[in-house]
Each structure stands twice: as structure tokens, then as C-alpha cells.
Amino acid sequence: MTDVVSVRDLHFSYPDGHAALRGVSFSLCAGDKVALVGPNGAGKSTLMLQLNGILIGRGEIAIGDMRLTRDNLPVIRGMVGLVFQNPDDQLFSPTVFEDVAFGPLHMGLPEAEVFKRVDAALESVRMTSYRDRLSHHLSVGEKKRIAIATVLSMNPSVLILDEPSAGLDPRARRRLINLLRELPITMLVSTHDMKLVEELFPRTIVMDEGLIVADGVTKEILEDETFLNAHGLEKP
Amino acid sequence: MHSDAFDRYHHGHSLIHDLDPRVKVVVTVAFILSNALLPDAAWLAFLLAWAFILIANALSGLGLGFTFRRSFIALPFALAAITALFSIPGAPVMSFRFLMQDFTITDAGLLRFVSIVIRSWLSVQMAILLVAVTEFPKIVHALNHLRVPTILTVIISFLYRYLFVLTDEVMRLLRAREARSAGAAGKRGGGSVMWRARVVGNMAGQLFLRSYERSDRVYNAMLARGYKGELMTIHPHRFQAGDLLIGLLALVCLVLMQVAGRLP
Amino acid sequence: MHYSPVALHIPDGFLSLVVSLICWAITAVLLAMAVSRTNKSLGEKQVPLMGVMAAFIFAAQMLNFPVAGGTSGHLLGGALAAIVLGPWAAMLVMTAVIAVQALLFQDGGLLVMGANILNMGLITAAIGYGLYRGVANSSRNTKLAVAGVAAWLSVMAGALATSLQLWLSGTSNLQTVVIAMLSVHALIGVGEALITVAALAFIMQTRPDLLDETSASARGGRGWVAAGVVLSLAVVLLSPLASAFPDGLNRVAEDLGFIHIAQSGSGPLAGYSVPFFADASLSKIAAGMIGALVVLAVAIIAGRGLQKKTS
């Protein structure tokens, strides 16, 4: 069986010369829920933008059995659902419906299918009644859930989330954790929320200075306090 | 204060709320156009136009006086028309001295002034009703349907979405300024006008850069969801026979108003 | 939520149908050009950029600073938008701002929106960009100084255009409205200039790449310099002419058949002579200034009353 995501020896430098990724390799199997942790500036966000082809570096990325190239970007972007940290950037349309419809619509799906996708996506984040709401009326927690729906409507094969629990109050955070647990989809989640990591993800990837410094069973990684401290992390 | 105060939509279900937004936009513009077409001192037509607004108010379930109570917004601009009182030749109605200057209000001038103010006051009420009974995104859809270029309606959509986010940022900037602009006892705080202007200019610059960076992130979010440089929109509005009927009925009323305005 | 009283947002009813439609026609042509230019020449990133920038201009118009006597300085933003985004994009951005102000807040009318877009969005962008473009290769201080002058002139041009439209519509007496509008906006324009310069200085310092010369010239051709200069000259020449010798302009307008309603009568302050000025036209200007101050005072009082009600 092929991996859902496989990344081999990925390098990337920003135009200002800063080397954000210095040889990153890992893979995700179908159904994996993996945490991506590391201090700010470790390269987590850069890596996520690579997986969707918004930034393109040196190395190899394959989604399913399709290698990411400039030519198949539209297809890849439909397969990799990328949810940004700030829901105000992710939700750029006036209404919830328009935002959730944006992905399927720009994939060129027929209207009837777009409507179906929107309803299914809202259903899976339990926000069906919010279909016609205005985005700016939502709370942060609601915005985060809708943001997830905006990529679920594309039926992606992997979900990539940047800091999903940041800025949420305890109740909204709890709801989001339950949602992530229920969603039957491969996901890679970047976070500083070590409690979330401990609770939800069997596997963790630790990044620092553009490299993967650990990739293994969450429980074992979180046990090693010296290792965590060395990479600016804390035991939950 | 939260910028939700910007919302002008009043939630409800009524004949007018449920009308197709295209009909509402067209009738609103036609009503304002009709007002502009009415000659000065067409009192009967003005009265009919007001009745039209009252009926629309009533049908929208917002109460008869809904738009009236909010209609004084354009009033300060009436100052611009004040000169019409004196400058149009006609029989003197009233003279007075003000600032050592003789003023004579003429009958023709008075008619013109009052007509301008009434036209404006009627028009603004219709515009108020439009946003009160139509969610703003639907107005934008209507504009799109009515052949306003997509690029403009898209910019308007973005503006509507982010005006709430950015005005919140402005509020925070202004609050931070207030929190730091303590004045020494007995002294006026705040520095010179130049200094105050520079503070605001820096805020504007900062806001610009934040907005610029945000547009980068929004662009990435659009790319991530399949945006390829061409924007597609979806319009869940279906024109019903009832919409057409009500629209036509309203337009007939406007024609009747024009006739009434031209009766000898 | 309240707005600073920008007297340039004309409500419906104050312009005649003919003037409204002529302004809409001019605006529509310019906007059509702007739409085709931005569709053609600019990258796809331009769409979210213009959208968020429209929200920026809208929000930046709420920034204000106290000047004196209860008035406050604030930003209209047409010149600033044109300098940082280029003229075509700025026109679209300002159009969106004015459209939302009219549609959502009834700040400005719908039938007269063409005139409002022309006055506040198109003329301001042309002057702001045109003058700045003329010195795009000069030193930082020259650029800032010219940007300030352009910002001030853009507000004055908007005010003058508004006055002329009101006069041609038979709503206002030419001399009075020109003097009143220009003297109020001479002040407002100073606020505009100060904020524009400070904002540009801030951007030059933190993100000079956004304002570099190559991108500035890529956004519009040299023709904009000519357009900006011509419009500025028109403001500089027409303003004193209209305020001191309105009869000439009235005459021209009549000869061209523009005016349906005779406005040959005396304005409220015309014919009055302030005792200290012997010269007739000087006293006319002085009289106009007094009128302007009265208008300003009433506007401030009305504005405050409205603020209290809405906030």
C-alpha cells in the first residue's frame, strides 16, 4: 500500500537566503494522525506550504502515488487540505456557504455537486445550521470548524492543520479535539499545544532548525524531558 | 465597541425580506431615479413616494416609522442647497438681516430648496430600507447578476469581509493610543498637531503593512483551495414569478408617481 | 459607529439627473479602463490584494486626530491608495469603498454615486499618482513632499469638483459653494497630507520594496504625470476664478446650455462689503470666508449631534 504523503530530502530557502528546510523526509500512512511540533522558526509552516505546492523547494513530495510538480498543482491542492492558523485568513468570503463552496467550485465541479459537498462538509464539522451565516459573526471556535469544512468540501486525502487549538477557550478547544478525533482522515497537525499532542496523536514529528530531529511514538518522545527542552519544547 | 455595529441588516421574514435581491436593488435605484426625475414642487408625487416608502416599511415588518427614524443622516448636506433659497429669482417671501447682511428668501428659491431636501430625504429612506431587509452579500450577488464587473463585486466582497477585521484593528490601535496619551496635570496632552498627525500616519502605515501581509496569507489560502487566477461565483438565487410580479408592480407605481408629478 | 464628516459624500437628491448621469458616464468609462487594465497587466494576486486594501482604506478613514476646536484630521485615502497600489488598482479600490459606504451606510447616494466615485476616487487617484510618478526617481524627501502636496491637492480637487456639480445642478450658488467647500477642505486637506506623508514615510522605512521605482513606473505610464499636472493646474486656476469671478463661469455654463435654472441672482453674501476691504473682489472673498465659517460651524454642530445619537 502506498503512503498518503511521502516527502524525501526536501530543501527550501527563502529569497533572502534563509534556509528553512534542510533535508526533510517522512511519510504518512492512510489514517495516520500525526503531530508536528517544534519551536517557532523550526520550519513547520514552510513544510506545510510545501505539501500544498504554495512554496516549491528541492526534493520530492508525493501525494498518494502522484509526484508533486508544477503541472499537477490543481489536482494536488484538491488532495491536500491545508487549514491556516488564522481563520480570518482562511475564511475570506462574506458567508459560510461561499467559503465552503470556494474549493469545490474552483475545482470545476458542477453546481449540484458543489451544493452536495458543502452540505456534507458542514455536516462533518457539525455546523449544518451555519450554512447561511456571515463569517464575521462567528466566534473563533466556530470559525476554526468552518475553516476545516472549507477544505473537507474538496474531499482531500490528507488534512494539514496549522495550530488548530490556538486562541480557543477551553470549551471550544475540547470541541475541536473531539472533532479531530472523529474525522476519519489522515492528518498532520502543527501545534504548540503539547497536551493536545499527548491526547490525540499516537505519532509525533519534532522539527528544529529545518530538520526533523525526532519521528516516533508520541509517548516515548514526551517522556524524554532533556530532548524536549533541547528543542524548546515542554513536557505536558 | 465591536464593529458588529456596522451591520445594517434586520433579520426577519417578510414579503420584502424574501424578495429576490435583484428586484430590491432595481426597485431601489428606480425609485431614486424617479425622485430625481420629478419636477420641483410636485407635492402630490412626493406624497405618493412617501406612501410608497410607508407601504414598503409596513410590508417589511419593521414598523411604519423604521426608515423615517434613520433618515436624518443626509440632512447636514442640506446646507449645500441653502443658497438656493436666496439665489433663485422670484417673489420675496421673507427678508432678514444676518451678519450685517440682507437676505431675501424668494418663493421660487424656497420651492427649490424644499424640493431638493424632500427628494434627498425620500431617496435615503429607500436606500436604508434596502440594506435593512437584504443581507449585504445578497446585494453584492444582485450587483453581479446585474452585470457589475466581477472584479468590482469581488473587491466589494473582500471589503465587506475584512472591514470588520480591520476596523477591529483600528479600534485596538486607537485604544492603545488613548491608553498611552496621559497628560501631565494641568497640561494639555497629546503634543503638537504635527506630532499627532504623525502618530496617526504611523498607524495608517502599520495598518497598511498588516493588510498587505494579510492579503498575502489570504492569497495563499485561496491558492490552497484551487484558485487559479479566475474567480468563480455561485448564486443560489432563483427568480420566482412572484418576484417579477412585485417588481413590475413597484415600477408601475413609480410611473404613476411620475404622471402625478406632471399633472397641471 | 460614526464617521468623520467628509462633506464630499453627496447624497441623492442634490445633483440633477443630467449631472448625475454625465458623472456616471465618465466614471463608467474610466472604471471600464481600470477593469481591463487590472485584468490584463497584473498578477492574479492582485484580487485579494485590492480586496484587503479596500478594507484598509475603509478602516484607515476612521483614524483621526484632534486638530483644534473640535475638528479632527483624517484620511480620505485616494492619493495614498494611488501611490502605493498604482492608479488603476486605486480607482477600483476607492470605488469599492465608496460603493460600500453608499450601499451599507447611506453615506453618499446611489444615483449620484458616479459623481462621488469621480470626485473621491478617480480625480484623487489621478492627482496623487500623477504628481508622485513625476518625482518617482527623486530623493526620499522630495517624494514625500510631493506626496503631501498631491494629497492636499487631491482633496481640493474633489471639493472643487463637488462644488461645480452642485452648481451645475442648480443646487448651490457657485461662489458660495466653491468658497465654502474649498475653505473647509483646505483644512481637511492638511490632515490628509500629514497622514499620507507619515504613512508613506513609515512604509518607505519598513518595506521600501513596496514603493520602489520600478514597480511605481510599472503601474502606470508617463501619461499619468500629465493628467495629474493638468488636474492640479485646473484646481489652482479654477478655484480663485470661481470664488472671485463666478459671473464668468456662470456665463460660460449658460452659453454652453448647461444651466437650466438661472442663478444670476445674488448669493447670500454677494454684494455685501466688509467695511475694512475697499476692493470689491477682496470683500467678496472675505464675505465668502465668513459664510464658509458659518457653514463649518453648523456642520460641526450637526456632526456632533449625529455622533451622539449613533454612538
Side-chain angles (χ1 to χ4, degrees):
Chain A
M1 192 184 135
T2 45
D3 294 327
V4 178
V5 175
S6 81
V7 174
R8 209 162 317 147
D9 199 27
L10 191 63
H11 291 259
F12 180 78
S13 298
Y14 282 99
D16 63 4
H18 166 65
L21 298 178
R22 304 185 296 148
V24 170
S25 304
F26 70 93
S27 52
L28 302 180
C29 301
D32 267 359
K33 293 194 179 181
V34 179
L36 179 62
V37 299
N40 287 335
K44 300 184 306 267
S45 298
T46 311
L47 175 61
M48 298 184 136
L49 292 173
Q50 299 270 340
L51 294 176
N52 198 277
I54 286 174
L55 296 176
I56 294 185
R58 201 156 41 79
E60 195 177 308
I61 296 175
I63 308 297
D65 42 20
M66 192 185 291
R67 219 190 126 177
L68 188 152
T69 65
R70 279 181 203 277
D71 300 323
N72 60 18
L73 275 185
V75 186
I76 294 281
R77 285 178 179 156
M79 294 163 78
V80 180
L82 183 53
V83 180
F84 291 82
Q85 177 181 351
N86 185 342
D88 278 332
D89 300 338
Q90 178 90 19
L91 304 180
F92 45 75
S93 311
T95 66
V96 168
F97 171 81
E98 284 168 282
D99 247 320
V100 182
F102 188 94
L105 198 60
H106 285 77
M107 288 165 75
L109 297 178
E111 256 187 46
E113 177 68 16
V114 172
F115 280 101
K116 232 190 270 169
R117 292 279 188 100
V118 171
D119 290 338
L122 288 174
E123 171 67 39
S124 51
V125 297
R126 311 264 148 102
M127 300 288 277
T128 308
S129 59
Y130 284 67
R131 189 174 177 277
D132 296 315
R133 293 279 286 271
L134 300 176
S135 302
H136 64 266
H137 281 172
L138 307 177
S139 70
V140 185
E142 291 164 343
K143 279 180 186 169
K144 292 250 181 182
R145 298 168 81 88
I146 298 294
I148 293 173
T150 62
V151 300
L152 287 180
S153 62
M154 298 192 294
N155 282 356
S157 51
V158 57
L159 201 57
I160 302 204
L161 305 167
D162 196 357
E163 291 286 355
S165 63
L168 294 182
D169 63 25
R171 192 187 319 170
R173 180 175 167 278
R174 178 52 48 195
R175 283 191 187 143
L176 187 95
I177 291 175
N178 291 340
L179 172 65
L180 294 183
R181 182 178 289 133
E182 286 165 16
L183 283 176
I185 183 172
T186 314
M187 60 175 77
L188 179 67
V189 177
S190 149
T191 185
H192 291 307
D193 185 344
M194 298 309 274
K195 279 217 162 97
L196 172 75
V197 174
E198 184 179 37
E199 187 177 338
L200 204 55
F201 302 102
R203 177 178 157 202
T204 298
I205 295 176
V206 185
M207 280 186 81
D208 199 3
E209 296 184 346
L211 292 169
I212 290 181
V213 291
D215 181 352
V217 178
T218 302
K219 227 175 144 197
E220 289 167 15
I221 290 175
L222 294 184
E223 290 291 303
D224 191 345
E225 213 168 337
T226 17
F227 172 79
L228 290 177
N229 290 341
H231 296 288
L233 300 170
E234 243 177 19
K235 204 177 159 180
Chain B
M1 189 192 71
H2 196 262
S3 42
D4 272 0
F6 282 135
D7 275 346
R8 294 296 194 267
Y9 175 68
H10 288 249
H11 189 75
H13 285 288
S14 71
L15 185 67
I16 310 277
H17 277 87
D18 297 340
L19 212 53
D20 188 283
R22 282 165 284 186
V23 172
K24 286 189 268 192
V25 169
V26 168
V27 170
T28 303
V29 172
F31 180 83
I32 293 168
L33 188 71
S34 154
N35 287 339
L37 274 168
L38 288 177
D40 284 353
W43 308 122
L44 179 60
F46 290 153
L47 205 64
L48 289 175
W50 192 25
F52 186 87
I53 286 174
L54 287 178
I55 292 170
N57 267 312
L59 290 177
S60 70
L62 296 173
L64 272 183
F66 179 83
T67 56
F68 179 77
R69 282 197 304 275
R70 289 161 179 75
S71 62
F72 298 95
I73 180 164
L75 211 58
F77 207 89
L79 281 170
I82 268 184
T83 54
L85 283 174
F86 317 103
S87 57
I88 296 173
V93 175
M94 179 186 152
S95 293
F96 60 93
R97 260 181 100 73
F98 177 64
L99 287 174
M100 302 176 284
Q101 160 83 21
D102 286 316
F103 290 94
T104 304
I105 297 177
T106 65
D107 56 353
L110 191 62
L111 286 185
R112 175 126 190 88
F113 175 76
V114 173
S115 301
I116 288 173
V117 172
I118 287 180
R119 271 195 211 99
S120 166
W121 174 73
L122 290 169
S123 301
V124 83
Q125 289 197 55
M126 202 62 190
I128 289 168
L129 189 65
L130 175 67
V131 287
V133 298
T134 320
E135 282 173 299
F136 193 74
K138 289 190 179 162
I139 297 182
V140 179
H141 292 162
L143 293 179
N144 212 2
H145 278 300
L146 296 169
R147 302 296 152 96
V148 174
T150 308
I151 178 105
L152 267 177
T153 55
V154 168
I155 297 176
I156 290 174
S157 293
F158 273 110
L159 166 52
Y160 179 71
R161 172 67 182 90
Y162 286 105
L163 83 86
F164 300 94
V165 178
L166 293 191
T167 47
D168 274 353
E169 274 184 38
V170 166
M171 291 300 164
R172 282 199 295 272
L173 285 171
L174 290 177
R175 219 174 288 140
R177 177 182 69 177
E178 249 161 64
R180 279 176 297 173
S181 44
K187 268 191 181 171
R188 201 174 56 110
S192 70
V193 170
M194 284 294 275
W195 186 81
R196 275 176 267 170
R198 182 157 348 125
V199 171
V200 168
N202 284 343
M203 285 182 188
Q206 206 165 18
L207 195 65
F208 168 80
L209 289 183
R210 284 190 203 172
S211 310
Y212 193 91
E213 282 156 10
R214 181 183 294 278
S215 77
D216 269 342
R217 298 195 302 269
V218 169
Y219 178 56
N220 281 343
M222 291 169 74
L223 283 182
R225 283 193 271 153
Y227 174 66
K228 296 185 273 289
E230 195 193 343
L231 267 160
M232 286 174 252
T233 46
I234 194 164
H235 300 294
H237 304 295
R238 294 263 153 62
F239 218 79
Q240 312 281 334
D243 294 322
L244 195 64
L245 191 71
I246 291 175
L248 285 177
L249 199 66
L251 294 181
V252 168
C253 291
L254 295 182
V255 172
L256 290 179
M257 261 175 239
Q258 289 299 319
V259 174
R262 283 169 175 75
L263 291 176
Chain C
M1 180 49 42
H2 62 81
Y3 293 98
S4 321
V6 182
L8 294 180
H9 289 87
I10 308 172
D12 277 316
F14 286 86
L15 292 188
S16 73
L17 189 61
V18 176
V19 171
S20 308
L21 293 181
I22 291 173
C23 290
W24 254 125
I26 299 171
T27 298
V29 168
L30 284 168
L31 285 183
M33 288 168 73
V35 166
S36 86
R37 287 303 167 98
T38 42
N39 279 348
K40 230 183 293 169
S41 69
L42 299 156
E44 52 198 28
K45 184 187 176 301
Q46 203 68 13
V47 170
L49 177 64
M50 287 193 289
V52 180
M53 281 304 142
F56 157 72
I57 294 289
F58 184 96
Q61 288 188 350
M62 291 167 49
L63 291 170
N64 56 50
F65 63 96
V67 177
T71 59
S72 57
H74 59 89
L75 190 72
L76 194 65
L80 180 63
I83 291 170
V84 294
L85 296 174
W88 297 116
M91 285 180 174
L92 295 179
V93 162
M94 292 304 289
T95 300
V97 171
I98 293 159
V100 168
Q101 285 167 341
L103 282 168
L104 196 52
F105 306 108
Q106 291 80 49
D107 201 7
L110 300 181
L111 190 60
V112 297
M113 200 197 288
N116 282 331
I117 292 172
L118 182 65
N119 303 342
M120 291 183 286
L122 308 188
I123 295 177
T124 52
I127 291 184
Y129 182 76
L131 297 191
Y132 186 82
R133 172 83 168 77
V135 295
N137 299 315
S138 313
S139 72
R140 179 178 174 277
N141 285 344
T142 315
K143 280 198 273 193
L144 286 180
V146 169
V149 172
W152 185 80
L153 272 172
S154 74
V155 171
M156 293 300 273
L160 181 64
T162 306
S163 315
L164 294 179
Q165 289 150 8
L166 286 167
W167 159 61
L168 288 173
S169 298
T171 301
S172 310
N173 172 277
L174 175 62
Q175 185 183 34
T176 319
V177 75
V178 166
I179 292 177
M181 284 293 249
L182 290 187
S183 44
V184 170
H185 285 87
L187 265 178
I188 291 179
V190 172
E192 176 90 9
L194 290 175
I195 299 177
T196 302
V197 169
L200 278 177
F202 183 91
I203 297 167
M204 282 176 178
Q205 204 179 349
T206 45
R207 283 290 296 273
D209 54 308
L210 299 181
L211 286 170
D212 62 12
E213 286 120 47
T214 46
S215 69
S217 51
R219 288 170 182 144
R222 305 268 330 157
W224 283 100
V225 182
V229 170
V230 167
L231 281 172
S232 307
L233 279 178
V235 176
V236 172
L237 295 177
L238 264 177
S239 309
L241 198 71
S243 42
F245 308 103
D247 301 345
L249 267 187
N250 264 325
R251 181 68 192 277
V252 172
E254 266 167 33
D255 287 353
L256 289 173
F258 258 147
I259 293 202
H260 320 292
I261 298 132
Q263 300 159 48
S264 50
S266 57
L269 294 170
Y272 168 67
S273 64
V274 181
F276 306 106
F277 296 108
D279 186 284
S281 67
L282 255 187
S283 77
K284 271 188 177 182
I285 293 174
M289 294 292 248
I290 295 172
L293 288 178
V294 174
V295 170
L296 181 63
V298 178
I300 290 168
I301 293 163
R304 286 198 160 174
L306 276 178
Q307 268 179 30
K308 267 183 206 137
K309 229 180 243 169
T310 48
S311 60

